[in-house]
Amino acid sequence: MRDRRYAHPFRDLRAKLREASSVCVLSGAGMSAESGIPTFRDAQTGLWANFDPMQLASEAGFRADPQRVWDWYQMRRDGVRQAAPHAGHVALARYAARHPGRLTILTQNVDDLHQRAAAQAGEGARIVALHGSILSDRWLDACPRDEDLMRRPCDPSRAEPGHPPRCPDCGNRLRPGVVWFGESLDYRDLTAAEEAASACDVMLVVGTSGTVWPAAGLAARARHAGAHVVILNTQASEIDDEAHIVLTGSAATLLPRLLDPL
Ligand code: APR
């Protein structure tokens, strides 16, 4: 259960973040909300309040209506490209740049806001995109050339424009390079995330409902390995009980108060 000994949470947490040799962030859609990117489960505004995830975020949904899914992701991609990192992304990136190698960001988000903030602040953070990237594509099916040692596999960048684009050689369709419901995470990403969660002194869990596994389990993994777990969220989440302390508030407000200028 949560540890209620904190009389001065920010002072005590800042001391821990100052002393930590390894810090992990587990971020979710709430991390991007103040950049104008909708979350999934917030009432009214969340994507799943207005769209059926099984139709739009599953392989079966894509195969059933490729154009609808492709166009929905194009709309979301446009939103990501128009968004900008906010003060919370910048605070994390600057903390990482001041302490190279200390911060690992495990993000469930498929936007590139953490990556852009890191690039602007001068790198320093390791970022693991657990659910892939909405700005990348990959083939829907295995390329028939994968089995042919004499020929190079088809190149996604050569796909013919379309909804979705198709390979001019084998007809394969492109799909967004994200992890859909029912799909496994890349085992290298998950292994890296589990190792980082097990090794950190402090874990900041920012803007996630804690409803989707295995990402949601990383907070418990960190706690059981001895990390101090802090949740930053505007509302209660399904993993609040894994936290030593829950800070109620927004990512863009809380993260600068916690990290600047440690
Ligand atoms: N600051 C902090 N937290 C916020 C903010 C904010 N400004 N705005 C919303 N939140 C919180 C909400 O209270 C909620 O707990 O962010 C969380 C968003 O939860 P979800 O919409 O469920 O997003 P997430 O937890 O990332 O979902 C996990 O589910 O649909 C899949 O693949 C998708 O990666 C996603 C996964």
Side-chain angles (χ1 to χ4, degrees):
M1 290 304 288
R2 268 168 272 156
D3 179 332
R4 301 189 181 284
R5 287 174 295 169
Y6 277 83
H8 304 284
F10 282 93
R11 184 193 67 192
D12 299 338
L13 289 175
R14 285 171 60 84
K16 284 185 181 293
L17 288 162
R18 190 180 297 115
E19 294 150 16
S21 56
S22 173
V23 175
C24 239
V25 169
L26 173 63
S27 68
M31 180 77 217
S32 300
E34 289 155 288
S35 292
I37 297 177
T39 65
F40 294 97
R41 294 174 183 80
D42 278 338
Q44 279 81 45
T45 60
L47 288 173
W48 302 150
N50 301 292
F51 299 99
D52 177 353
M54 288 308 119
Q55 287 185 347
L56 293 167
S58 72
E59 182 180 327
F62 181 79
R63 290 186 185 275
D65 192 337
Q67 175 161 349
R68 173 177 56 185
V69 177
W70 180 262
D71 290 349
W72 187 67
Y73 274 87
Q74 290 300 93
M75 173 199 66
R76 288 181 60 199
R77 282 169 173 164
D78 292 344
V80 167
R81 293 189 180 104
Q82 288 160 23
H86 58 59
H89 295 104
V90 173
L92 284 172
R94 286 178 176 167
Y95 175 81
R98 290 192 296 268
H99 307 286
R102 181 184 295 186
L103 181 65
T104 300
I105 297 175
L106 311 174
T107 188
Q108 300 172 86
N109 299 337
V110 294
D111 59 58
D112 62 342
L113 296 178
H114 281 304
Q115 292 85 342
R116 276 194 257 161
Q120 289 160 9
E123 301 304 339
R126 180 184 186 193
I127 301 173
V128 179
L130 295 166
H131 294 165
S133 167
I134 199 169
L135 299 176
S136 70
D137 296 323
R138 60 185 173 88
W139 294 125
L140 174 64
D141 297 304
C143 174
R145 291 187 171 189
D146 285 341
E147 305 303 320
D148 180 347
L149 297 178
M150 301 307 288
R151 296 192 299 172
R152 291 162 58 89
C154 300
D155 179 355
S157 66
R158 290 188 58 250
E160 290 175 336
H163 301 256
R166 296 183 84 112
C167 174
D169 300 325
C170 68
N172 209 343
R173 286 170 290 191
L174 282 183
R175 52 156 288 179
V178 299
V179 178
W180 276 332
F181 286 106
E183 294 183 330
S184 301
L185 278 62
D186 181 304
Y187 76 90
R188 293 160 298 188
D189 291 338
L190 186 54
T191 303
E194 290 173 341
E195 289 171 354
S198 299
C200 66
D201 302 308
V202 179
M203 174 177 271
L204 304 178
V205 180
V206 187
T208 182
S209 59
T211 51
V212 171
W213 292 68
L218 293 168
R221 174 181 285 269
R223 174 147 191 169
H224 295 153
H228 197 75
V229 178
V230 185
I231 284 184
L232 292 73
N233 202 314
T234 49
Q235 300 172 45
S237 79
E238 292 197 6
I239 51 176
D240 280 6
D241 284 348
E242 299 303 342
H244 292 92
I245 187 164
V246 174
L247 300 178
T248 300
S250 82
T253 304
L254 293 176
L255 285 168
R257 285 186 63 188
L258 270 182
L259 297 169
D260 292 344
L262 288 182

